[in-house]
Amino acid sequence: MEKKIKIGVCVMEKKVFSAPMGQILERLQEFGEFEITHFGDKVILEDPIESWPICDCLIAFHSSGYPLEKAEAYANLRKPFLVNELEPQHLLHDRRKVYERLEMFGIPVPRYALVNREAPYQELDYFVEEEDFVEVHGQRFWKPFVEKPVEGNDHSIMIYYPSSAGGGMKELFRKVGNRSSEFHPEVRRVRREGSYIYEEFMPTGGTDVKVYTVGPEYAHAEARKSPVVDGVVMRNPDGKEVRYPVLLTPTEKQMAREVCIAFRQAVCGFDLLRCEGRSYVCDVNGWSFVKNSYKYYDDAACVLRKIFIDAKAPHLSSVIPPTLPWKINEPSQPSEGLTRQGSGIIGTFGQAEELRCVIAIIRHGDRTPKQKVKLKVTEEKLLNLMLKYNGGRPRSETKLKSAIQLQDLLDATRMLVPRSRPGRESDSEAEDIEHAEKLRQVKAVLEEGGHFSGIYRKVQLKPLKWDKVAKSNGEGEEERPVEALMVLKYGGVLTHAGRKQAEELGRYFRNNMYPGEGTGLLRLHSTYRHDLKIYSSDEGRVQMSAAAFAKGLLDLEGQLTPILVSLVSKDSSMLDGLENASVEMEEAKARLNEIITSGVKTAQSNGIPPWMADGGGLTPNALELLPELVKLTKKVTEQVRQLAKDEDEELMTSSYDVILPYDQAKALGKTNIDVDRIAAGLPCGSEGFLLMYARWRKLVRDLYNERKERFDITQIPDVYDSCKYDLLHNGHLNLDGLDELFKVAQLLADGVIPNEYGINPTQKLKIGSKIARRLLGKIMIDLRNTREEAISIAEPKSTQDEPLKLTISEKDDKEYHTKLNVKNDDRKCSTSDVPKLHNKNEDTRRSSISSEISMDQEDDDDKEIKYRLDPKYANVRTPERHVRTRLYFTSESHIHSLMNVLRYCNLDESLQGEDGLVCESALERLHNTKELDYMSYIVLRMFENTEVALEDPKRFRVEMTFSRGADLSPLKKNDSEAASLHQEHTLPIMGPERLQEVGSYLTFDKMEKMIRSFAMPAEDFPPPSTPAGFSGYFSKSAAVLERLVNLWPFHKHASSNGK
């Protein structure tokens, strides 16, 4: 019998007795080839190195209290084979050196900069801090950015958020109980007490990947919920942090190999950030093992055995025995299959259907009324301010949005607002009073909120008149603006009720949209079989609705700002803006005005359904209702004026800061009502009586022009909006006549609003397809890609070992395909016959074959981070199958537009004679559903029927449902429901209704045929911003990790390891 290889374990006892270490050493022992000696703390700390046991191979790594230099001296004395070399372990204590070493080896790290201080609070001339960025040596880092102490053992890492997302800071730390981070909304300044690394925040979709290497050829990766989302650690029933094994891409495996070699640590843990289709290393931890994975313990023991044998007994065979020694006596276990994700029994289409895709388009939640103040200004102070922020160009307009700019404006306005009101009897002109009033309103709006947050207020200054003035240096003259138009937009903020509604709806989706076990979605999401992406328009209320919805959907906790930054992508080109349909909408409004003011009764002509007529849905007596509307609006406004006057008189008699300052940042975190304000008889939220009066007074003025005796019907929706808001949130002010006004305004608005998007179905279709064209294009791409993916997975598995596997249609055009493997994307195939690539051959993958074909997809989804489950470690029957969820948060216009295309697409000339997508009974229901209120949504779900042939059109079915959002009926009743409403200020949201007949079957092919001409084609989406050479592609066939390739030769000749 050969003598055994001696392995010395020179590690602090606390680490030796950790479960993974024990499990792995125990397995090594069972091979019978090794003798393992534990040095123990007493020997390590007290004995001289000369008396330490002698061994062939040494496992030694630093942990707190470990004498690293002493271990180095021992290694120099006895020269054992080192699994992890000792000298490079000093690098791991300093994050600066870690990054330097990673860069030296060409391993990608986030963009970063160093701020080195000799002493705490030392001022550095190269370090600049502004409200929304820091600048180091001229390198600018916009918020959100990350601040890390340079000391490797200091785990207090901070993330600073931009004021546009609500500002604040989140501190990440080592897990304490259930928390791994804490959000501090009030902290806006960075730390100055030491040296820090600043780096850009990488949006990873809320997941961190931890990689564990055992030698350069073996890496195990796990993902866990990132602490940046809500700081709550996900634990399984045994109280352990939930982590899921994931597959590394070829590029990432190469990175793992390089990290091993760079730090000369065979067993090494490091953190990966996957962002926009690329991977970055952000931290290297040295020796660490995976916890609770028996599969990993087996692998690690086998790899370590090979490393030891190759180093000390290369003549022995290191081939792994067919049965691992510690498995000999184990009974073979039946493989337990997890319950299959949902049988998808929806409708009556049998067991074989599985949910593949959920697409929802959702309107934002309850908001405060949107407001606008316009005034002409001639004051020098304001004109100078305009020049200050537009670069001194006398003819260009300025937008003020940031806190500093708005603060400047507030300071200027405060100086201009007259302290006392001129007596009403004096000759001062009405216009001056009007101007002073507006300035007071601007001041009140700017003062509201305690501090500024760019989401809610913006000011535009547009120069209107100019004068020539002599230049300051006396040479010639220059232009100077002398009058400008100031437009202040504010309001439209998501209320506490809006956040609550969004969160509730998220919870509803979690429990009802995904078939299968009650927690179907969470189970899916945590195993990475859920591919989720959330998009929102640019509006603050829409972004916050998206964040609150995500919070309910994924069962997150805490503040919305971090959730927003981690999980929600802005796409304003798709979800904002009506510019491209403004002409048609103006026409519709003009025609609507004619229909209403002419008083022509919309006759029910020759049996066509009411929704086909011009101005369908308008109330027949609209003209008689208008004067009533004006009368009631005046009545309410007068009461609010009285309240404002009382408040104002209090203000005049007392000092200026009576109104409780209202802190927007705190409010963002709240989903409940400010009870004290309501008890004090103040309006809900941040509105003072002055602003509330300004809101109503503007409506009275704009709704009816007394001089021209003309109604402005475009104001009807605004009156309705204000009315609805005050009924819901300011019921405690008991305004008389408000409920009557609501009834009249609702009757009118129900006719006006739908018709603003087209006066008849043909026009509705035209306007709808213009506004929603890009969104429809993206939805079709989502559905198409889901189908491609499902088909490529369902293809017979026999061809899987060929280097290139082309599916769907065997094209010889290889160049095209090699191009395709650059993308793994939502916006991938422009036509259904483009094959997906299964590529096992990494070399072909990495050689980026240049191709003339342009990348025609916007790949914001090649930037989509995809996590795929590693099937060896997870009991999932079909690991490649996953559910794609795409959520689009937007405003009323996009919901109406999309709905109009879905219900009227068959009216297009090219589709004459086709059945529509929406059945007759649903058309009638939609016609009677006048309003798509807050949180209304449209959901498309695609199911795959695995029992029919792949080419059968019935393989993929699309189901369409919609909800009209918040239910207004409680506003009209006086029962217990209405009473609880006044306590909560929150309306319930209606459940989904079908758009198809029960039992009808809408195939994906039919849907595509009907929608194609209204959707933006895939090739028109802008090209991807990700470099084309990138090959991060998650192999769907879940290629088995190259388990134990020939292991690294890098220690064989100890002399050459100083490279």
Side-chain angles (χ1 to χ4, degrees):
M1 177 63 202
E2 284 246 2
K3 90 177 180 39
K4 295 189 176 182
I5 298 174
K6 293 196 178 103
I7 297 175
V9 182
C10 175
V11 180
M12 304 296 275
E13 283 168 9
K14 181 173 180 229
K15 295 286 175 190
V16 179
F17 297 131
S18 73
M21 188 83 169
Q23 295 270 3
I24 290 166
L25 290 175
E26 202 173 291
R27 284 169 168 70
L28 275 173
Q29 192 99 41
E30 296 210 22
F31 278 115
E33 297 151 326
F34 306 107
E35 181 181 314
I36 298 175
T37 311
H38 291 283
F39 287 23
D41 287 3
K42 183 180 175 303
V43 171
I44 297 174
L45 297 173
E46 298 167 17
D47 296 4
I49 56 171
E50 291 73 15
S51 66
W52 285 14
I54 292 174
C55 56
D56 301 310
C57 302
L58 185 68
I59 293 177
F61 57 88
H62 181 273
S63 57
S64 51
Y66 186 78
L68 192 53
E69 287 79 4
K70 193 170 172 185
E72 278 181 82
Y74 168 76
N76 289 335
L77 175 70
R78 304 286 183 206
K79 305 230 173 336
F81 165 79
L82 298 170
V83 181
N84 280 21
E85 291 191 24
L86 294 162
E87 178 218 357
Q89 293 185 26
H90 290 288
L91 297 175
L92 301 172
H93 303 162
D94 185 331
R95 288 196 169 93
R96 290 168 294 197
K97 292 183 178 154
V98 170
Y99 270 18
E100 202 177 295
R101 177 59 68 108
L102 289 167
E103 287 177 301
M104 194 166 99
F105 278 77
I107 298 164
V109 296
R111 184 172 72 87
Y112 75 98
L114 299 176
V115 174
N116 289 318
R117 289 192 178 82
E118 305 287 318
Y121 304 103
Q122 175 191 359
E123 281 306 317
L124 302 165
D125 48 5
Y126 63 78
F127 180 68
V128 182
E129 179 178 15
E130 292 290 345
E131 181 196 14
D132 264 337
F133 63 83
V134 291
E135 206 169 276
V136 186
H137 293 299
Q139 248 210 91
R140 191 169 283 193
F141 293 87
W142 288 95
K143 291 180 179 175
F145 58 71
V146 183
E147 173 189 67
K148 301 177 171 177
V150 294
E151 169 58 44
N153 293 329
D154 181 345
H155 295 283
S156 167
I157 291 173
M158 305 201 168
I159 298 171
Y160 296 86
Y161 294 101
S163 54
S164 63
M169 177 275 284
K170 169 158 264 194
E171 179 181 7
L172 313 182
F173 37 77
R174 276 279 165 101
K175 294 195 291 272
V176 179
N178 245 6
R179 307 246 9 127
S180 57
S181 72
E182 206 58 69
F183 183 59
H184 304 278
E186 67 298 332
V187 177
R188 279 148 206 273
R189 310 277 295 168
V190 302
R191 290 176 285 183
R192 293 166 190 272
E193 45 270 30
S195 298
Y196 299 97
I197 289 179
Y198 289 91
E199 62 183 58
E200 53 188 336
F201 174 81
M202 299 269 171
T204 59
T207 314
D208 285 357
V209 179
K210 298 208 161 287
V211 182
Y212 299 86
T213 67
V214 186
E217 304 296 335
Y218 178 89
H220 171 93
E222 294 194 323
R224 55 160 193 166
K225 184 168 108 184
S226 165
V228 305
V229 182
D230 63 354
V232 176
V233 180
M234 274 171 75
R235 296 189 180 279
N236 62 18
D238 312 332
K240 304 219 165 63
E241 183 177 17
V242 177
R243 294 179 168 195
Y244 299 92
V246 284
L247 288 171
L248 292 177
T249 64
T251 322
E252 290 168 334
K253 290 177 187 171
Q254 187 56 32
M255 284 161 73
R257 180 192 168 85
E258 282 160 359
V259 169
C260 263
I261 293 167
F263 292 90
R264 304 209 292 279
Q265 308 289 301
V267 176
C268 188
F270 64 93
D271 293 4
L272 268 186
L273 298 175
R274 287 177 169 176
C275 169
E276 303 199 331
R278 313 192 72 172
S279 302
Y280 303 85
V281 175
C282 65
D283 191 13
V284 178
N285 306 316
W287 186 287
S288 46
F289 277 145
V290 178
K291 300 176 180 66
N292 320 313
S293 165
Y294 288 94
K295 168 82 184 59
Y296 168 82
Y297 298 153
D298 294 355
D299 288 353
C302 294
V303 178
L304 283 169
R305 167 181 178 267
K306 182 167 167 52
I307 291 175
F308 292 143
I309 289 179
D310 287 350
K312 286 296 169 188
H315 56 283
L316 290 179
S317 156
S318 56
V319 176
I320 299 168
T323 308
L324 296 173
W326 54 90
K327 290 243 167 112
I328 291 171
N329 303 325
E330 281 185 22
S332 65
Q333 290 180 334
S335 63
E336 38 176 333
L338 270 182
T339 46
R340 187 125 170 241
Q341 165 241 320
S343 54
I345 317 170
I346 295 190
T348 50
F349 301 109
Q351 289 283 10
E353 274 206 337
E354 285 202 29
L355 177 67
R356 284 283 159 264
C357 180
V358 176
I359 295 171
I361 301 86
I362 305 169
R363 188 181 169 192
H364 59 75
D366 181 64
R367 57 160 168 77
T368 61
K370 289 193 282 195
Q371 313 272 319
K372 205 188 250 178
V373 187
K374 283 186 179 174
L375 66 160
K376 287 185 177 160
V377 293
T378 49
E379 286 85 352
E380 189 74 8
K381 271 201 161 40
L382 297 172
L383 297 172
N384 286 341
L385 194 68
M386 176 168 77
L387 288 171
K388 172 177 172 183
Y389 286 115
N390 70 4
R393 296 191 301 276
R395 287 191 175 258
S396 55
E397 66 167 82
T398 312
K399 280 201 171 85
L400 307 180
K401 221 180 154 174
S402 80
I404 296 170
Q405 296 169 333
L406 292 174
Q407 189 59 55
D408 256 1
L409 179 65
L410 177 58
D411 297 341
T413 319
R414 278 181 172 150
M415 292 171 162
L416 296 172
V417 171
R419 288 302 291 260
S420 65
R421 297 267 174 88
R424 284 281 180 265
E425 52 294 278
S426 71
D427 292 339
S428 62
E429 294 176 19
E431 276 183 23
D432 287 355
I433 294 175
E434 169 76 357
H435 186 77
E437 281 291 318
K438 281 187 170 172
L439 274 175
R440 289 170 66 86
Q441 190 182 343
V442 170
K443 174 172 167 290
V445 169
L446 292 175
E447 283 177 335
E448 162 191 56
H451 75 261
F452 297 110
S453 178
I455 299 191
Y456 306 106
R457 288 165 274 210
K458 44 182 180 274
V459 175
Q460 286 161 303
L461 286 165
K462 303 177 188 170
L464 299 173
K465 292 185 187 158
W466 298 265
D467 252 357
K468 294 261 191 288
V469 293
K471 284 192 173 174
S472 47
N473 58 9
E475 296 171 19
E477 18 182 57
E478 57 181 1
E479 269 195 324
R480 254 196 88 80
V482 289
E483 181 179 67
L485 177 69
M486 176 167 67
V487 182
L488 165 66
K489 291 182 175 169
Y490 66 100
V493 186
L494 195 66
T495 60
H496 57 86
R499 280 191 300 282
K500 197 163 175 179
Q501 285 171 328
E503 209 175 311
E504 288 288 327
L505 188 61
R507 217 167 284 142
Y508 175 84
F509 265 59
R510 180 174 88 215
N511 295 324
N512 300 297
M513 281 297 159
Y514 298 85
E517 52 273 61
T519 56
L521 173 76
L522 288 181
R523 177 64 167 275
L524 255 184
H525 194 69
S526 52
T527 51
Y528 298 110
R529 282 187 302 165
H530 185 214
D531 169 7
L532 166 74
K533 187 95 181 167
I534 304 172
Y535 296 93
S536 132
S537 73
D538 225 357
E539 300 278 0
R541 57 183 165 273
V542 182
Q543 292 181 46
M544 284 303 168
S545 300
F549 183 96
K551 184 177 170 178
L553 182 75
L554 300 175
D555 200 20
L556 303 171
E557 292 181 22
Q559 300 272 359
L560 295 185
T561 299
I563 295 174
L564 175 67
V565 174
S566 301
L567 297 175
V568 179
S569 318
K570 277 193 283 201
D571 189 325
S572 59
S573 58
M574 181 164 69
L575 299 165
D576 270 323
L578 309 171
E579 293 74 51
N580 47 5
S582 46
V583 183
E584 289 88 346
M585 288 185 72
E586 288 311 314
E587 283 171 18
K589 285 178 185 169
R591 177 83 185 87
L592 189 62
N593 198 20
E594 278 170 38
I595 295 177
I596 292 179
T597 48
S598 64
V600 178
K601 295 271 189 289
T602 44
Q604 283 297 309
S605 49
N606 53 29
I608 58 163
W611 56 87
M612 296 302 287
D614 272 13
L618 277 173
T619 164
N621 57 343
L623 194 57
E624 295 119 63
L625 288 174
L626 283 172
E628 181 69 6
L629 185 72
V630 174
K631 188 185 92 191
L632 287 165
T633 308
K634 284 183 172 163
K635 179 175 175 182
V636 170
T637 309
E638 181 49 39
Q639 296 171 67
V640 181
R641 190 183 76 81
Q642 221 28 65
L643 290 166
K645 187 164 159 280
D646 299 346
E647 177 182 85
D648 206 49
E649 279 164 8
E650 276 175 44
L651 274 185
M652 300 309 293
T653 51
S654 65
S655 69
Y656 240 68
D657 40 275
V658 183
I659 305 179
L660 311 164
Y662 172 81
D663 187 345
Q664 194 72 56
K666 290 214 178 77
L668 277 180
K670 277 204 250 183
T671 41
N672 44 12
I673 301 166
D674 195 334
V675 189
D676 305 338
R677 278 186 68 95
I678 292 194
L682 290 169
C684 181
S686 60
E687 202 176 39
F689 284 117
L690 181 68
L691 290 180
M692 187 171 172
Y693 172 51
R695 166 160 66 91
W696 278 100
R697 190 188 55 188
K698 184 173 185 303
L699 291 172
V700 169
R701 281 192 189 149
D702 296 348
L703 184 60
Y704 181 62
N705 184 327
E706 310 260 345
R707 212 176 33 164
K708 299 185 184 161
E709 298 192 353
R710 202 167 60 214
F711 294 102
D712 179 355
I713 60 149
T714 60
Q715 294 298 314
I716 291 174
D718 296 1
V719 175
Y720 176 56
D721 200 27
S722 260
C723 214
K724 185 162 71 173
Y725 176 79
D726 284 334
L727 260 189
L728 183 57
H729 293 278
N730 291 320
H732 58 287
L733 300 177
N734 299 320
L735 297 171
D736 185 27
L738 187 63
D739 38 3
E740 293 161 64
L741 175 59
F742 176 71
K743 287 182 183 118
V744 175
Q746 188 179 35
L747 268 175
L748 286 164
D750 280 352
V752 171
I753 295 173
N755 282 301
E756 286 186 341
Y757 299 100
I759 202 84
N760 55 35
T762 332
Q763 197 182 26
K764 282 184 166 68
L765 182 60
K766 188 175 176 191
I767 292 178
S769 61
K770 280 198 161 178
I771 294 177
R773 182 168 180 265
R774 183 181 275 264
L775 176 57
L776 278 161
K778 179 70 170 66
I779 291 171
M780 293 319 289
I781 289 171
D782 292 336
L783 291 170
R784 216 173 289 134
N785 285 347
T786 304
R787 183 184 62 179
E788 302 304 315
E789 217 158 72
I791 289 177
S792 69
I793 287 166
E795 289 281 307
K797 297 268 192 273
S798 57
T799 45
Q800 266 197 9
D801 300 325
E802 298 168 18
L804 285 177
K805 169 173 176 248
L806 306 182
T807 59
I808 306 164
S809 67
E810 292 287 337
K811 289 219 176 171
D812 296 324
D813 184 0
K814 293 277 183 358
E815 277 207 14
Y816 191 100
H817 297 298
T818 319
K819 180 213 88 166
L820 254 188
N821 70 9
V822 174
K823 326 211 58 54
N824 176 18
D825 157 56
D826 247 28
R827 314 196 153 167
K828 189 158 27 210
C829 312
S830 52
T831 51
S832 55
D833 60 2
V834 177
K836 273 275 195 64
L837 202 68
H838 284 250
N839 182 342
K840 283 289 184 54
N841 180 332
E842 286 176 19
D843 302 323
T844 23
R845 160 93 39 78
R846 255 188 239 123
S847 64
S848 66
I849 294 184
S850 64
S851 149
E852 295 76 78
I853 302 171
S854 70
M855 304 274 185
D856 51 7
Q857 305 84 348
E858 164 176 21
D859 202 351
D860 96 308
D861 284 298
D862 160 61
K863 297 200 278 190
E864 280 200 359
I865 305 113
K866 299 263 171 67
Y867 296 92
R868 292 284 177 270
L869 195 64
D870 184 346
K872 290 205 309 290
Y873 291 82
N875 310 320
V876 178
R877 197 166 295 159
T878 48
E880 307 93 339
R881 290 204 183 285
H882 60 282
V883 174
R884 183 184 246 116
T885 300
R886 293 289 175 269
L887 305 171
Y888 300 97
F889 286 85
T890 182
S891 51
E892 184 175 36
S893 56
H894 281 64
I895 294 271
H896 273 287
S897 303
L898 185 65
M899 186 60 99
N900 285 338
V901 175
L902 290 178
R903 63 176 159 167
Y904 297 133
C905 55
N906 56 324
L907 301 179
D908 191 63
E909 291 84 68
S910 63
L911 297 168
Q912 288 297 310
E914 284 280 345
D915 285 340
L917 294 176
V918 173
C919 65
E920 198 71 13
S921 60
L923 282 171
E924 189 168 340
R925 267 208 315 281
L926 280 169
H927 175 68
N928 297 332
T929 304
K930 301 296 193 297
E931 185 176 13
L932 294 170
D933 206 334
Y934 300 131
M935 297 314 301
S936 51
Y937 56 85
I938 299 170
V939 177
L940 305 175
R941 293 197 294 179
M942 180 143 100
F943 294 89
E944 179 182 9
N945 183 344
T946 46
E947 309 229 316
V948 301
L950 271 179
E951 38 301 336
D952 189 327
K954 278 203 148 64
R955 175 103 185 184
F956 293 97
R957 172 174 80 88
V958 179
E959 172 211 77
M960 302 193 299
T961 50
F962 86 103
S963 159
R964 56 194 170 88
D967 174 24
L968 297 175
S969 52
L971 286 179
K972 303 177 192 164
K973 297 190 206 130
N974 271 336
D975 55 11
S976 58
E977 195 180 357
S980 83
L981 172 106
H982 286 306
Q983 240 124 46
E984 288 293 317
H985 293 200
T986 310
L987 295 169
I989 294 167
M990 304 296 285
E993 305 180 48
R994 294 171 172 277
L995 288 173
Q996 297 135 306
E997 295 287 1
V998 180
S1000 70
Y1001 202 103
L1002 170 61
T1003 64
F1004 171 70
D1005 292 353
K1006 159 92 176 172
M1007 170 115 189
E1008 188 170 41
K1009 177 177 168 188
M1010 300 299 288
I1011 297 296
R1012 189 180 283 139
S1013 54
F1014 308 105
M1016 182 163 170
E1019 48 275 20
D1020 288 1
F1021 278 92
S1025 52
T1026 309
F1030 172 66
S1031 65
Y1033 178 88
F1034 289 74
S1035 149
K1036 295 203 187 54
S1037 50
V1040 175
L1041 267 173
E1042 292 82 39
R1043 198 129 141 225
L1044 300 163
V1045 188
N1046 260 332
L1047 271 141
W1048 55 347
F1050 102 169
H1051 267 311
K1052 277 200 178 146
H1053 316 290
S1055 58
S1056 66
N1057 60 13
K1059 59 172 181 180

